[in-house]
Amino acid sequence: MHGMRWIVLGTLCLCMLMVAMDANILHTVMPTLIRVMRPTTIEQLWIVNAYALTLAGLLITMGALSDRHGRRRLLLWGLAVFGVASLMAGWIHQPWQAIACRGLLGIGGAMIMPNILSLIRNTFTDPRERTIALSACGVAGCVGAAVGPVLGGALVQVFNWQAAFLINVVVVLVAIPLVVTTVQESSSPGNRRWDWTSVGLSFVGMTALVQAIKLMGKSGWLSVEALALFAMGISSLAWFVRRQLATDDPLLDVRLFGLRSFSVGIFVYAMVMFALSSTIYLASQWLQFVYLLSPVDTGFWLLPATASALLGALAVPYCLQHWNVRDVMLAGMVCIAMTLFVPGMNGSGSLLLFSVSLAFLGAGVSLCLSSATTVVIMAAPAERAGSAAAVQSTAYEIGNVLGIAVIGSGAAAMYSHAVRLPEGIADSLAGSIRISVGEGVAAVASLPQETGVPLKKAVNLAFDHAFSTSSFVLGCMMLGAAMLTFVLLRDRPATEAERLT
């Protein structure tokens, strides 16, 4: 069984890739789904958010369940739920069915994600091999996040929107037999009764917090509903933390955050996902709306980020043998920051230069996520591997949501402010153009050439300004995060990875 550990790694990376793709695949599937099913605005919101809310709300609970009752067992249940939910897509005809399907996918994803990293820790006992395995898993998550929208667009273009979900069924049918035959069971049974109050508090707290962030990105940071949900989320999580500190067998060992290396690893992971998700989100719009590229062509120009991330994963074990993990994380964060300054200064210049900068972005992301994963998983005790992995998965989700909400809404506001329309444009047309770059491109496309060309140029210039400014701000944020990481880990070893020789 030990000799099949690399097959185990391939299986677990495949699971991570599938879950990460589904988090972002609706970016390109949603327009077709809206045309087919005609959901209301509220229904559209729930179709998009159901996956993220159930995933974020259940990660902590599923991590604790896997520690107590078996990590492989819960992974298999998660794959089964994910496969059934994906298969349901073929019979969806009503918006409520799409919402239920996405919610079920979130439940399956919450069962899968914490167990991938904890099973890697138990499968790979050699520190160097474990570092390689954790690096590969981190890259699989990055690749899934980047490929999801492009793959969704390609499948919709060739087949239909259901195909974007049915592809998961194929992955599940391959993964389940491999997990059954190659992965060994592991668990750390608890001594106390299951704490249902903590389960409810973690679910309410995380779902309210994620939904508040999403609403703040769409409705403004002073939205009454968003602030109310934010207060509910924070208060529920504070109560949850208090309960965990008062028990000897907590659902989530929040004392892990007392380990500086663990907390810094989580912070770095969330920051990198914040930068990656917002960059890919804005770059996809920039390429499709400013350069009028198809989803497939957009994927081609984004491909260097994926390719370099894969190559970077292979370099991480070598890097950790020759430098300590703090320096590897810092190098990755500085690389990401410098990369983000390129579109900030380049604007609508060379696509080739932009694509080359994405190659450095992918390498930096790979260095950061791989080393941060190693820090988080190895800082936690083995019996809490599932809980540690759940916290990291939560950081992944929070960083992903925050990046799109904060930077995406900021870019939208900058675009609306930067649009310079000629005199005499009808108020209704001007209002449509200022809503978003997508609405602007759609509104201009139907106009005669003599009117549409100058308006299209105004839309392009405005969004180009928003994209470059957002990238520059992101670069500054990553530099600040790198300096903070250096200060916090300046005199403290992070993990056994630093001692690899």
Side-chain angles (χ1 to χ4, degrees):
M1 187 68 70
H2 181 68
M4 302 184 72
R5 62 194 182 282
W6 298 110
I7 298 177
V8 173
L9 175 62
T11 304
L12 296 177
C13 286
L14 186 65
C15 296
M16 175 64 83
L17 183 73
M18 177 181 68
V19 176
M21 283 195 306
D22 257 69
N24 298 295
I25 204 165
L26 273 191
H27 289 334
T28 46
V29 173
M30 198 64 184
T32 304
L33 189 149
I34 291 172
R35 286 195 298 269
V36 172
M37 290 197 297
R38 303 285 183 182
T40 65
T41 302
I42 297 298
E43 288 171 337
Q44 291 177 38
L45 183 66
W46 278 105
I47 290 172
V48 172
N49 291 346
Y51 180 85
L53 293 179
T54 51
L55 179 68
L58 291 173
L59 277 170
I60 293 174
T61 298
M62 295 305 176
L65 273 175
S66 66
D67 281 340
R68 299 183 185 210
H69 299 293
R71 299 175 181 111
R72 187 185 75 158
R73 178 182 302 172
L74 209 67
L75 175 62
L76 288 170
W77 273 106
L79 288 170
V81 171
F82 213 88
V84 169
S86 300
L87 193 61
M88 285 170 53
W91 286 272
I92 289 176
H93 301 289
Q94 299 294 330
W96 70 267
Q97 295 171 330
I99 295 169
C101 176
R102 290 287 290 170
L104 198 57
L105 282 168
I107 295 172
M111 293 179 178
I112 294 170
M113 287 188 73
N115 294 295
I116 293 173
L117 297 177
S118 55
L119 284 170
I120 285 177
R121 175 170 181 163
N122 285 279
T123 301
F124 291 88
T125 55
D126 178 74
R128 185 174 181 275
E129 289 186 350
R130 186 189 294 126
T131 302
I132 296 173
L134 290 172
S135 300
C137 186
V139 171
C142 296
V143 172
V147 167
V150 179
L151 179 62
L155 289 171
V156 169
Q157 189 170 317
V158 176
F159 300 104
N160 52 41
W161 69 267
Q162 285 99 334
F165 298 100
L166 292 176
I167 191 70
N168 294 331
V169 179
V170 178
V171 176
V172 168
L173 290 176
V174 172
I176 287 180
L178 286 173
V179 172
V180 170
T181 56
T182 64
V183 178
Q184 293 182 330
E185 183 62 279
S186 66
S187 63
S188 306
N191 300 318
R192 296 173 64 88
R193 292 185 351 181
W194 187 246
D195 187 354
W196 286 105
T197 301
S198 292
V199 170
L201 288 172
S202 67
F203 182 81
V204 171
M206 287 305 304
T207 53
L209 188 62
V210 170
Q211 181 66 358
I213 293 170
K214 285 177 171 285
L215 283 177
M216 286 175 179
K218 292 179 180 296
S219 306
W221 297 95
L222 297 180
S223 164
V224 175
E225 184 180 358
L227 290 174
L229 282 171
F230 187 80
M232 180 190 298
I234 293 298
S235 58
S236 297
L237 290 176
W239 188 2
F240 172 80
V241 169
R242 184 176 179 181
R243 285 186 67 88
Q244 303 318 292
L245 291 172
T247 179
D248 295 330
D249 190 19
L251 193 69
L252 173 67
D253 190 357
V254 295
R255 296 175 184 87
L256 289 173
F257 288 98
L259 302 172
R260 187 183 299 180
S261 56
F262 179 87
S263 297
V264 172
I266 293 296
F267 167 73
V268 171
Y269 206 92
M271 278 300 303
V272 172
M273 286 310 304
F274 179 93
L276 178 65
S277 64
S278 53
T279 300
I280 296 299
Y281 174 75
L282 291 179
S284 298
Q285 291 189 338
W286 184 65
L287 291 169
Q288 292 185 63
F289 293 132
V290 175
Y291 285 93
L292 299 180
L293 299 182
S294 68
V296 176
D297 291 335
T298 298
F300 170 79
W301 285 105
L302 296 176
L303 188 61
T306 302
S308 62
L310 291 171
L311 294 174
L314 300 177
V316 168
Y318 174 85
C319 293
L320 291 178
Q321 280 185 297
H322 293 82
W323 299 282
N324 64 52
V325 70
R326 181 202 65 194
D327 293 341
V328 175
M329 279 196 294
L330 287 172
M333 296 175 82
V334 172
C335 184
I336 293 171
M338 294 299 102
T339 297
L340 291 170
F341 288 138
V342 172
M345 296 180 292
N346 184 46
S348 57
S350 169
L351 274 183
L352 180 60
L353 177 60
F354 172 71
S355 196
V356 170
S357 73
L358 284 182
F360 285 94
L361 174 69
V365 166
S366 188
L367 289 175
C368 282
L369 294 190
S370 299
S371 53
T373 298
T374 303
V375 169
V376 170
I377 296 303
M378 297 316 303
E383 65 273 13
R384 295 294 183 189
S387 292
V391 174
Q392 178 172 313
S393 300
T394 302
Y396 175 99
E397 189 63 30
I398 292 291
N400 190 40
V401 171
L402 263 176
I404 294 175
V406 175
I407 302 300
S409 61
M414 282 187 282
Y415 162 81
S416 298
H417 181 73
V419 174
R420 296 289 180 265
L421 301 176
E423 296 290 337
I425 298 296
D427 291 342
S428 58
L429 177 59
S432 297
I433 292 174
R434 287 196 171 95
I435 290 175
S436 68
V437 63
E439 293 284 346
V441 170
V444 170
S446 60
L447 298 176
Q449 186 173 4
E450 61 273 11
T451 306
V453 169
L455 289 179
K456 177 65 167 63
K457 184 178 180 180
V459 169
N460 287 354
L461 287 174
F463 191 73
D464 192 65
H465 167 76
F467 178 51
S468 60
T469 303
S470 299
S471 298
F472 187 81
V473 170
L474 271 173
C476 292
M477 292 176 68
M478 287 303 299
L479 274 183
M483 288 187 286
L484 180 59
T485 300
F486 173 78
V487 170
L488 291 175
L489 294 182
R490 179 172 47 192
D491 56 352
R492 186 175 297 254
T495 69
E496 65 180 27
E498 294 184 350
R499 301 189 294 274
L500 298 180
T501 57

